Amino acid sequence: MASAMNALAYNVVVERTMRQPVQEAKKKSRPTHHLNDKQTSFCNPWPSYRPQTPALWSSFILGRMPTPNPDAVTAAKVPIQTPTWGANLAADQIKATWLGHACFLVEFPRQEGASRGPRVLFDPACSDRCSAVQWAGPARYTPLPCRVDDFPTVDAIVLSHNHYDHTDTPTLTQLQKRDNPQVFAPLGNAPYLSSIGIPKDHIHCLDWWDDCIMSLSLPSLSGPSSSQSNTVKITCTPCQHVSARTPFDRWCTLWSSWAVEEVISTRTPKKVYFAGDTGYRTVRDGEVVEDQPVCPAFAEIGEKIGPFDLALIPIGAYSPRAMWSNLHAHPEDSVRIFKDVKAKKALGMHWGTWVLTSEPVLEPPRLLKEEAKKIGIPDGDFDVCAIGETRGF
């Protein structure tokens, strides 16, 4: 089915629409998250980020950080189901299918006359190990809910950064050969994407607050011989993280979150926020304190682009918090990101797939429920779903 639709689905026009005020500012001064004028070195420009201390790195490298008991991981029951891709959901809903870790396939509502809406795949990492090689590195303790070949046709792939649990070469090359999608990534990732066979005219590397308009022709309801234009706006937005694929390229490519919104005039456009992989603050000495700096980027995103119909927000890989708080969101942080970006609904991600840190496998969704209640998020507004499950929004 996917290949039969490709002739129409990939008549795509992507237009760079970087705002003029941003362009003018770049002529005068370097953005605070750029460490040089060549766009080859980046940083987190906020007091909410502090790097790990040498003592923390020493404990981590020498293996003194605790990890979950293997028997406890095996016994943990993360729910998994075969995807239906939202076949039973209303045509005017966003359909979000969790495929494990930070990978979501989001289908926007179909616009007038089209047989389906644009499909965006976030951070596809579908290999067994999130590693440079498949004979070593963290292995999945939950399987993919289906084969990559069983995914519906993908129109766009959006990458938050180049870590192996978010940017997976075998998955990207498989989807490129099958669907030839447009690929959106933060600055600096073009050489890598080109090296794995992504066509240069399908690679779109953006800085924070740059955006693109993607217009694609999708099969129409009247039959496969005709098509209907559908348009979405894709904006690269800030987050607090880091990048690297080797020991020698840390900070050399940018990291980001993303906002994707419909461009449509016949109804209120739907908006989705993908937080990628991010920290919210740095917790070094025990509990969070009242005046601890938090990353201001999320409130700015909420003001500039929100509110969002759906936010996809990380809730795992946070323990020990002293080690990972600057890069990964604890549920106490996740619920505040939800509030900052002005999300109406959210699904938790970045858990339930690989053991990357020391919290118990099933702790993130339990703590999420507790933390949401503490700050007054109604029950079910920020939820988790089964791997392979599709929710409608």
Side-chain angles (χ1 to χ4, degrees):
M1 183 67 172
S3 59
M5 296 169 66
N6 276 357
L8 287 173
Y10 291 102
N11 179 13
V12 183
V13 176
V14 177
E15 228 179 295
R16 187 73 170 266
T17 58
M18 190 165 69
R19 288 174 286 277
Q20 187 63 27
V22 176
Q23 288 177 314
E24 292 301 320
K26 285 185 177 180
K27 290 178 185 177
K28 296 175 183 177
S29 63
R30 191 169 65 223
T32 56
H33 62 287
H34 289 213
L35 291 177
N36 63 27
D37 292 322
K38 297 179 181 179
Q39 299 183 350
T40 58
S41 186
F42 304 93
C43 69
N44 293 295
W46 313 287
S48 57
Y49 176 83
R50 286 185 287 147
Q52 284 90 341
T53 64
L56 285 170
W57 274 116
S58 176
S59 292
F60 177 71
I61 292 168
L62 295 175
R64 293 198 293 269
M65 289 293 184
T67 55
N69 182 291
D71 294 335
V73 172
T74 302
K77 299 297 181 184
V78 178
I80 304 172
Q81 63 187 52
T82 302
T84 64
W85 313 110
N88 60 331
L89 296 176
D92 62 351
Q93 288 185 298
I94 298 166
K95 301 173 183 179
T97 305
W98 187 38
L99 297 165
H101 201 54
C103 183
F104 268 93
L105 179 63
V106 173
E107 181 175 326
F108 282 82
R110 69 182 187 211
Q111 296 179 16
E112 187 176 356
S115 60
R116 65 166 177 87
R119 295 189 185 123
V120 180
L121 183 63
F122 294 97
D123 280 7
C126 300
S127 293
D128 180 53
R129 296 182 185 271
C130 57
S131 174
V133 294
Q134 286 300 299
W135 49 265
R140 287 178 177 269
Y141 62 85
T142 50
L144 273 176
C146 66
R147 300 177 310 150
V148 173
D149 279 343
D150 294 327
F151 291 7
T153 301
V154 173
D155 302 312
I157 292 173
V158 172
L159 303 174
S160 63
H161 66 299
N162 67 0
H163 285 162
Y164 289 97
D165 56 326
H166 296 259
T167 294
D168 177 52
T169 299
T171 306
L172 290 172
T173 54
Q174 186 174 352
L175 289 168
Q176 190 278 322
K177 290 174 183 175
R178 194 193 73 164
D179 294 339
N180 199 24
Q182 304 292 318
V183 180
F184 298 84
L187 286 178
N189 285 287
Y192 159 74
L193 293 169
S194 183
S195 75
I196 65 170
I198 309 295
K200 289 186 178 180
D201 61 350
H202 282 221
I203 298 170
H204 313 282
C205 291
L206 308 184
D207 200 355
W208 293 348
W209 302 114
D210 289 351
D211 56 61
C212 286
I213 299 293
M214 182 177 75
S215 299
L216 58 157
S217 297
L218 294 170
S220 74
L221 289 170
S222 61
S225 61
S226 60
S227 63
Q228 193 70 32
S229 180
N230 286 242
T231 302
V232 292
K233 181 180 180 180
I234 300 175
T235 305
C236 181
T237 49
C239 70
Q240 181 172 296
H241 203 58
V242 69
S243 62
R245 285 181 80 80
T246 75
F248 311 107
D249 64 347
R250 192 171 169 85
W251 310 104
C252 292
T253 62
L254 189 58
W255 49 95
S256 71
S257 59
W258 293 87
V260 184
E261 53 190 306
E262 295 179 298
V263 178
I264 189 169
S265 59
T266 56
R267 56 173 168 77
T268 303
K270 296 281 191 179
K271 298 181 182 181
V272 173
Y273 176 67
F274 177 72
D277 198 354
T278 187
Y280 187 66
R281 52 187 148 195
T282 301
V283 180
R284 285 285 183 261
D285 303 312
E287 298 297 320
V288 171
V289 295
E290 188 174 339
D291 61 349
Q292 202 158 43
V294 302
C295 182
F298 304 104
E300 187 178 5
I301 292 164
E303 287 298 321
K304 287 185 175 181
I305 306 177
F308 293 94
D309 299 279
L310 170 64
L312 307 170
I313 300 175
I315 63 170
Y318 50 77
S319 184
R321 205 168 180 189
M323 178 72 182
W324 296 116
S325 60
N326 61 340
L327 299 177
H328 292 156
H330 181 282
E332 185 179 12
D333 302 324
S334 307
V335 296
R336 285 162 176 79
I337 293 172
F338 174 95
K339 289 274 195 178
D340 285 355
V341 301
K342 301 182 179 180
K344 299 174 184 177
K345 302 285 184 180
L347 291 174
M349 62 178 186
H350 209 256
W351 74 283
T353 308
W354 289 290
V355 174
L356 302 175
T357 48
S358 66
E359 73 272 7
V361 166
L362 296 178
E363 182 180 88
R366 176 178 63 79
L367 290 184
L368 174 64
K369 195 174 185 69
E370 293 174 6
E371 295 297 336
K373 185 176 181 180
K374 284 180 188 177
I375 67 168
I377 297 174
D379 191 37
D381 279 8
F382 191 168
D383 205 358
V384 295
C385 63
I387 295 176
E389 182 181 356
T390 304
R391 294 279 184 95
F393 300 89

